[in-house]
Amino acid sequence: MSDVVLITGVSGQDGSYLAEYTAARGARVIGTTRDLGATPRLPGTLSTAIELVEWDLMDKHHFSTILDRYRPTKVYNFAAFSSGEHMDLNPEAVIEINGLAVIKMLDAIKLSGAPVRFCQASSSEVFAGTGISPQSEATPRVPRSVYGAAKILADNTIKLYREKYGLFCCSAFLFNHESPRRGEGFVTKKVVRAAVQIKAGRQKKISLGNLSAARDWGFAGDYVRAMALMLKAAVPTDYVVATGVAHTVANLCERAFGALSLNYRDYVEVNPAFFRPTEAAPIVGDASRVRQELGWEPTTSFVELVEMMVDAELRADRASD
Ligand code: G4F
């Protein structure tokens, strides 16, 4: 029997990569969206490869009817507030969407009695206050934002439903993962876009926060592949998905501007308005477990990722001329 894959947040970066990955492997792909009329254009050939269905994440009854109607074999949850800059704004909405909505989905799956496999896009933000680095599955979850607290609520409920009710459900602790499809609120896209605009002579400077802030940046396409492996595994398990290598925002600037033969020091200004409180310890993942147990490997290095983003930005810029 071929897979029927249901993806929430399908129009976002991760949802669209996973939709492409699973559709290319013969799955019927159903993507949920809150408002069909307002759904952004899907990248590439996705608009013809997937079926869109309208669903408000807080409506558990409607999710049950979607489960009945499409009978998915796998559900991937990417629907979330994801912007790093705004992790504490509107805390109730963040808890509802990043936490409570996950519980509603799990419970609807439990009540349906169907053998649906569920994978949650969790985050390295759950480790932000831990003080231990690198972070693995064994690292205590200590949030530093409402966003992190909501993800932990979802992760704990997933573990509970797995252990108490036998659901095949798991969390992928995704460290920062980027691509040409990244939104502008994230530092990678902000830097790459500015570098291309500066090269074209349309922008003079870019203001950034802490240039020494370090992140473990990987390619989103690699990370959704890890999630697909998690739902193919014999047993449901939570995994850290990361490259294990940290780079600073300054390294990012150096690579992005360098790819355009520019020296970032000539264009980058530091603005304290973009500073965030520093983490208790560097956010770097130890992904040994997913590598050893599922054979996952990232295929794209940090340098290749930045160059891929710069190339895509240049192409988009030329196309818009
Ligand atoms: O790109 P960012 O905004 O990503 P952040 O906050 O790490 O969040 C992302 O990764 C998390 C996984 O760890 C996800 F949970 C979350 O959903 C999202 O995907 O910031 C990256 C780093 C930070 O240290 C930030 O302080 O870049 C630093 N930074 C320095 N200047 C900046 C800026 N970040 C942004 N967005 N804008 C700046 O001007």
Side-chain angles (χ1 to χ4, degrees):
M1 195 185 71
S2 64
D3 264 337
V4 179
V5 172
L6 187 116
I7 301 174
T8 73
V10 75
S11 55
Q13 169 186 265
D14 299 353
S16 65
Y17 277 112
L18 186 79
E20 282 169 354
Y21 181 84
T22 50
R25 281 154 187 79
R28 178 183 180 195
V29 183
I30 318 295
T32 73
T33 171
R34 193 167 51 151
D35 181 351
L36 278 175
T39 306
R41 205 169 64 82
L42 294 166
T45 55
L46 266 188
S47 48
T48 50
I50 69 170
E51 298 161 62
L52 283 177
V53 54
E54 213 167 56
W55 170 50
D56 173 346
L57 282 173
M58 296 311 288
D59 187 343
K60 180 176 164 186
H61 175 71
H62 190 197
F63 188 66
S64 296
T65 63
I66 290 171
L67 292 178
D68 271 356
R69 179 169 167 204
Y70 293 99
R71 304 205 173 272
T73 50
K74 292 174 178 146
V75 174
Y76 294 89
N77 181 40
F78 296 109
F81 286 102
S82 66
S83 164
E85 277 179 317
H86 305 116
M87 287 185 190
D88 290 315
L89 291 183
N90 203 347
E92 287 147 66
V94 171
I95 293 286
E96 279 186 350
I97 300 301
N98 293 12
L100 186 56
V102 180
I103 297 166
K104 288 177 186 257
M105 282 182 248
L106 286 175
D107 207 54
I109 291 171
K110 171 179 158 257
L111 292 172
S112 77
V116 182
R117 295 186 169 205
F118 181 93
C119 191
Q120 159 74 353
S122 187
S123 165
S124 57
E125 273 300 311
V126 304
F127 303 118
T130 186
I132 298 167
S133 187
Q135 297 86 30
S136 73
E137 296 81 3
T139 305
R141 274 60 136 173
V142 183
R144 212 190 33 142
S145 60
V146 173
Y147 173 102
K151 290 281 182 183
I152 292 172
L153 171 65
D155 295 335
N156 285 342
T157 310
I158 285 166
K159 187 167 182 291
L160 178 75
Y161 272 58
R162 183 166 71 220
E163 291 172 359
K164 187 166 181 183
Y165 304 116
L167 256 62
F168 194 114
C169 51
C170 43
S171 296
F173 301 109
L174 304 175
F175 283 59
N176 292 56
H177 48 290
E178 317 293 313
S179 76
R181 298 178 192 169
R182 204 42 153 156
E184 286 181 43
F186 298 91
V187 74
T188 50
K189 185 73 167 190
K190 181 175 172 179
V191 167
V192 165
R193 177 152 293 173
V196 167
Q197 291 303 311
I198 288 168
K199 182 74 181 179
R202 286 192 287 268
Q203 189 174 327
K204 299 242 174 297
K205 297 277 179 190
I206 172 176
S207 292
L208 292 169
N210 185 1
L211 299 186
S212 306
R215 283 288 185 272
D216 179 341
W217 278 296
F219 171 49
D222 284 335
Y223 287 35
V224 300
R225 187 166 43 79
M227 293 173 73
L229 289 172
M230 286 168 65
L231 288 198
K232 268 201 216 139
V235 287
T237 312
D238 301 332
Y239 288 103
V240 159
V241 183
T243 72
V245 186
H247 294 91
T248 62
V249 175
N251 297 150
L252 165 68
C253 294
E254 190 178 6
R255 288 292 173 186
F257 281 81
L260 298 164
S261 307
L262 299 173
N263 183 340
Y264 80 93
R265 290 185 182 82
D266 296 334
Y267 307 100
V268 172
E269 293 173 338
V270 172
N271 181 344
F274 293 113
F275 269 68
R276 308 226 196 115
T278 44
E279 278 84 24
I283 298 290
V284 189
D286 172 358
S288 319
R289 188 170 178 184
V290 70
R291 287 172 186 257
Q292 281 158 19
E293 294 182 6
L294 301 184
W296 176 81
E297 288 292 335
T299 61
T300 308
S301 70
F302 172 72
V303 174
E304 289 165 339
L305 172 64
V306 178
E307 286 174 356
M308 177 203 300
M309 292 182 71
V310 171
D311 283 350
E313 193 63 34
L314 279 173
R315 269 185 271 116
D317 189 59
R318 284 186 198 123
S320 69
D321 270 351

